Amino acid sequence: MRILDRYIGRYILFGTLAAMAILMTLLGVLSLFEELGSVGKGRYTTADAFLVVLLGLPRYAYELFPATVLLGSLSGLGVLASHSELTAMRAAGVSLERIIISVMKTGFVMMLALALLGEFVAPPSEQYAQEMRSALIENKIAMQSKYGFWARDGLAYVNIRNIQPGGALEGVYLYEFDEEGKLKVSTHADNAHYQDGKWKLKGIRQTYITNDGTQVRNYKQASWKSLIDPDLLNVVVVKPTVLPIWGLYRYISYLRDNGQDANKYEVAFWSKVFSPMVTLAMAFLAVPFLFGSLRSVSIGQRIFVGSMIGISFFLLNRVISYMAVVYDMNALVSAAFPGLLITALAIFSMRRVH
């Protein structure tokens, strides 16, 4: 039966790769058109736009992976069905359950591929693309590290430990140097927000460094006119949906320990936890569409209906994620609902297969 597993799996994998290639090409072209609008700003060139788009494709691939698996499974099994190979398998004594097992084995392999893509490929690729884009367009150096976000602002270096939704900052460190590269002022602010073209700092502690020693001054609040604006920070910050699971877990713990709202990141965390299982359910859902009892329905029509289901799932998942954040819904339930709906649909469809 290993030969059967490899044979069916090969068609499903080829179908999935073909569907992924088509979707990535379309999304890549659309993204490129959008990026070309920024060419000419700062040092951003057409070649840079191409590179940014390529580096962003792993994120798109991860987000669309479950729907792509459904399309690939439908097209792969559809080829076997159109050649009457599935019928021949049944006639040779291969049960429907055994074919499902072969499909699920391939689905499990793709589930592992999704986990690797979401944990080790998409996050660093997206982060590098954002950092490179911001550095070229804004003519500033910006990067993300485990110690927060760093940026260069003239002769000063800024470290921001936490950027809240909406652009509010917490834990701002500003290091100002003179022309000779010597540190002259170190500033720490508890928090900051952008207003009227300036940053409003609160809870400030400044340390002035001279040849005679240091002098510390405290201020309740002050204005900071910086070249760094909220748009730059939005570019540097990686979206929660792209962060790896371990990174989301640590950040959620940090927000909870500081009494802050972590719902947005909890939704992203549980969505990533359930995403591999949804991928498996998508592969399973392809089977009843090709073994249905309605013989008058063509393979092409079934693939079209399955494609609509895949697209609908992607849109439903996005809508529920946004609703969960806006209306403060339970993150676990919100993330699990689309996957459970697909699983229930697959089980219900299998009951109608004869």
Side-chain angles (χ1 to χ4, degrees):
M1 288 297 178
R2 290 185 178 179
I3 296 177
L4 179 66
D5 293 337
R6 288 197 295 268
Y7 190 73
I8 292 177
R10 184 164 63 247
Y11 275 90
I12 294 177
L13 287 174
F14 284 163
T16 302
L17 290 175
M20 182 67 74
I22 293 172
L23 289 175
M24 291 303 99
T25 300
L26 292 174
L27 288 173
V29 171
L30 293 175
S31 298
L32 181 60
F33 283 141
E34 184 178 351
E35 286 298 321
L36 288 176
S38 299
V39 171
K41 296 179 180 179
R43 295 178 289 114
Y44 198 57
T45 65
T46 302
D48 297 323
F50 270 99
L51 182 56
V52 167
V53 170
L54 288 175
L55 290 171
L57 290 182
R59 173 172 66 87
Y60 290 126
Y62 176 79
E63 293 177 349
L64 292 173
F65 201 90
T68 304
V69 167
L70 176 59
L71 293 174
S73 300
L74 285 170
S75 59
L77 294 175
V79 171
L80 294 176
S82 64
H83 294 165
S84 300
E85 293 182 74
L86 292 179
T87 303
M89 291 177 190
R90 297 294 300 275
V94 179
S95 66
L96 178 59
E97 288 74 17
R98 187 63 191 78
I99 294 176
I100 292 175
I101 290 174
S102 297
V103 173
M104 297 304 283
K105 285 183 178 180
T106 307
F108 184 76
V109 172
M110 292 189 289
M111 182 181 73
L112 293 178
L114 174 67
L116 292 174
L117 180 65
E119 291 300 300
F120 302 106
V121 180
S125 177
E126 180 75 8
Q127 179 180 331
Y128 180 77
Q130 292 181 0
E131 290 175 359
M132 184 188 74
R133 187 180 188 277
S134 64
L136 292 172
I137 292 178
E138 303 290 341
N139 284 320
K140 304 180 184 73
I141 299 173
M143 63 172 290
Q144 180 185 12
S145 72
K146 65 180 180 178
Y147 300 107
F149 304 93
W150 287 87
R152 182 175 179 178
D153 186 12
L155 294 176
Y157 288 87
V158 183
N159 174 225
I160 303 167
R161 295 301 175 92
N162 185 26
I163 302 177
Q164 293 292 325
L169 311 181
E170 290 187 349
V172 180
Y173 294 84
L174 177 62
Y175 303 98
E176 299 178 58
F177 293 82
D178 58 22
E179 296 289 346
E180 298 178 355
K182 295 181 180 179
L183 180 64
K184 60 178 184 179
V185 182
S186 172
T187 304
H188 170 259
D190 293 335
N191 54 71
H193 67 278
Y194 200 71
Q195 181 180 346
D196 299 329
K198 298 179 181 179
W199 288 100
K200 304 295 183 181
L201 306 180
K202 294 183 179 181
I204 304 165
R205 179 183 176 88
Q206 276 191 329
T207 302
Y208 294 85
I209 302 171
T210 64
N211 294 330
D212 299 327
T214 61
Q215 183 180 7
V216 178
R217 297 177 183 176
N218 296 313
Y219 306 92
K220 289 185 178 181
Q221 62 181 14
S223 296
W224 170 37
K225 189 174 182 179
S226 171
L227 297 176
I228 299 174
D229 56 39
D231 291 335
L232 172 62
L233 298 177
N234 290 334
V235 169
V236 175
V237 178
V238 177
K239 296 180 180 179
T241 52
V242 184
L243 290 171
I245 289 180
W246 61 269
L248 282 169
Y249 179 80
R250 290 198 309 174
Y251 194 60
I252 289 170
S253 299
Y254 166 79
L255 292 177
R256 286 177 175 174
D257 292 341
N258 288 273
Q260 299 172 29
D261 182 22
N263 186 259
K264 177 180 180 180
Y265 296 90
E266 289 173 347
V267 172
F269 173 82
W270 287 113
S271 294
K272 292 180 75 72
V273 169
F274 285 109
S275 189
M277 290 176 278
V278 172
T279 301
L280 208 57
M282 286 293 193
F284 178 59
L285 180 61
V287 177
F289 273 93
L290 294 167
F291 285 95
S293 58
L294 299 177
R295 305 300 180 187
S296 60
V297 180
S298 68
I299 296 297
Q301 288 175 310
R302 294 182 189 185
I303 292 178
F304 175 76
V305 174
S307 302
M308 292 299 99
I309 290 177
I311 295 172
S312 299
F313 167 79
F314 175 76
L315 296 176
L316 176 65
N317 198 32
R318 282 291 184 89
V319 170
I320 292 180
S321 296
Y322 291 140
M323 290 178 61
V325 174
V326 173
Y327 297 105
D328 199 24
M329 298 164 58
N330 184 276
L332 176 58
V333 174
S334 302
F337 178 75
L340 293 175
L341 184 63
I342 288 295
T343 303
L345 178 61
I347 295 174
F348 174 76
S349 300
M350 281 302 302
R351 286 187 164 185
R352 303 185 62 180
V353 175
H354 299 293

